[in-house]
Amino acid sequence: MQEFAQWSLDAIREEGGCFSWIEEQRFDWTTTTSQALEQILGGKTIILITDEKRKWFETYLLDFLNSSMMERPLLPIVSIDSIYRHYNNISGGEMIDVVEDMISLAHKDEYFFWYIGRGDDRRADIAKRKDTSYFWIFDEEYLNAFHLKSYDKLLDIKLLQLYRLFNASLNAAMFGEVDVGA
């Protein structure tokens, strides 16, 4: 079984030059993604959160990660908005505590947040409170996160490329082709 870091490097290089930007950030990729994959393989629910500008990408992920064309088990993935429709109206730590308590009760602490968007967006606040969260974060240096720039003209293309690599990584982990353990 191949180590995830080496598998990722090989997968990135197989995609060709258009993925070279990911190769430059592969250490951030492998560290954060291997932790997320471990949680997925452990049966945790993914609670997806995006900033408002990335709502299109949230819909894309929810549609394609469990597509009927995937030949793998379905993933337990939901949007924060499907759990609490009024999530955009949350302000202040006390209300975040209430929502997080509700999620913990419903999922018995067997979940993690996957946040995609600007680091300074208030929709990121709940994910930033949990050490197990997975981040594709923009315009902010955040520990254990994959960093992007919101002003990058190729950002949408890069997000789709990251999805492609994530999906391939997920398949490799689920089918025992790669070791994502520490």
Side-chain angles (χ1 to χ4, degrees), residues 146-163:
F146 190 80
H147 305 98
L148 297 153
K149 305 286 185 218
S150 66
Y151 51 85
D152 186 335
K153 292 177 185 176
L154 299 175
L155 178 61
D156 291 352
I157 292 168
K158 288 181 176 182
L159 287 172
L160 292 170
Q161 290 172 330
L162 284 173
Y163 162 75

Side-chain angles (χ1 to χ4, degrees), residues 31-141:
T31 302
T32 60
T33 303
S34 65
Q35 292 170 358
L37 292 172
E38 278 185 278
Q39 293 183 87
I40 292 168
L41 294 177
K44 289 189 176 182
T45 299
I46 306 163
I47 300 175
L48 184 60
I49 308 170
T50 64
D51 62 13
E52 286 301 319
K53 286 189 175 183
R54 261 49 69 175
K55 281 298 201 188
W56 69 270
F57 192 58
E58 176 182 293
T59 301
Y60 184 87
L61 288 172
L62 293 171
D63 284 347
F64 286 99
L65 280 172
N66 280 331
S67 167
S68 61
M69 295 175 16
M70 292 293 168
E71 295 181 0
R72 66 171 180 236
L74 295 176
L75 297 177
I77 182 169
V78 295
S79 165
I80 189 76
D81 298 310
S82 70
I83 293 173
Y84 185 62
R85 182 179 297 286
H86 307 288
Y87 186 70
N88 275 343
N89 299 326
I90 290 178
S91 61
E94 190 173 307
M95 193 57 197
I96 291 175
D97 288 341
V98 169
V99 171
E100 191 168 9
D101 286 346
M102 183 257 317
I103 293 170
S104 291
L105 286 170
H107 294 279
K108 298 181 182 19
D109 286 322
E110 291 297 315
Y111 68 93
F112 69 98
F113 296 109
W114 179 3
Y115 178 73
I116 302 166
R118 289 182 52 94
D120 62 358
D121 193 289
R122 66 188 177 104
R123 289 179 60 86
D125 292 347
I126 196 168
K128 286 182 174 180
R129 295 168 143 224
K130 202 157 174 65
D131 291 338
T132 58
S133 294
Y134 180 46
F135 292 95
W136 294 359
I137 202 161
F138 309 160
D139 307 331
E140 181 178 310
E141 290 297 317

